Amino acid sequence: TCGTIGQGKRLEAFAINSDSANFTYQVHMQTYGDRPECKNGEVAGSIGLGKRIESIKINCDKPIMYRVHQQTYGWSKWVTNNVWCGKKGESKRIEAIEVKFSE
């Protein structure tokens, strides 16, 4: 899990580092909308701008599942590779992300 739950803190940026799989990921951010895709180790989101991430899409060369904890809504349903997770355009911050390899 990346982020916090129950503390009212927004997730502004994250990176995924993996030696066992290749990841790409993209975020939808407050003010900026959909941002360019990032690869293993690159930072998605912003640092020092105070902008919330509202939705996340992750893709991997292995089967994965992920979900987000979002303001007001709590934990989302688990989604699979390359699906947006989180509500765009509702001004709700993502507070945490969970990612796991699926079977």
Side-chain angles (χ1 to χ4, degrees), residues 22-68:
N22 292 311
F23 284 88
T24 58
Y25 38 96
Q26 187 175 6
V27 298
H28 178 89
M29 288 184 58
Q30 171 188 357
T31 306
Y32 302 113
D34 293 353
R35 303 302 297 152
E37 191 173 80
C38 297
K39 297 177 184 172
N40 266 8
E42 296 177 343
V43 175
S46 65
I47 298 172
L49 298 179
K51 301 293 182 182
R52 68 182 167 269
I53 294 175
E54 298 177 348
S55 188
I56 295 170
K57 180 171 64 169
I58 303 173
N59 197 26
C60 183
D61 60 358
K62 295 183 178 183
I64 60 163
M65 297 174 68
Y66 54 101
R67 65 181 183 166
V68 299

Side-chain angles (χ1 to χ4, degrees), residues 3-34:
T4 61
I5 300 165
Q7 296 181 25
K9 306 282 185 186
R10 68 180 167 259
L11 191 65
E12 296 180 8
F14 73 97
I16 299 174
N17 292 303
S18 175
D19 293 330
S20 62
N22 292 311
F23 284 88
T24 58
Y25 38 96
Q26 187 175 6
V27 298
H28 178 89
M29 288 184 58
Q30 171 188 357
T31 306
Y32 302 113
D34 293 353

Side-chain angles (χ1 to χ4, degrees), residues 40-98:
N40 266 8
E42 296 177 343
V43 175
S46 65
I47 298 172
L49 298 179
K51 301 293 182 182
R52 68 182 167 269
I53 294 175
E54 298 177 348
S55 188
I56 295 170
K57 180 171 64 169
I58 303 173
N59 197 26
C60 183
D61 60 358
K62 295 183 178 183
I64 60 163
M65 297 174 68
Y66 54 101
R67 65 181 183 166
V68 299
H69 190 274
Q70 195 162 23
Q71 176 186 0
T72 306
Y73 303 117
W75 283 109
S76 68
K77 294 181 180 180
W78 288 98
V79 298
T80 58
N81 275 352
N82 217 29
V83 174
W84 283 103
C85 190
K87 307 248 185 206
K88 291 183 182 184
E90 294 190 19
S91 301
K92 301 295 182 183
R93 68 183 173 266
I94 287 181
E95 299 172 345
I97 311 166
E98 271 189 345

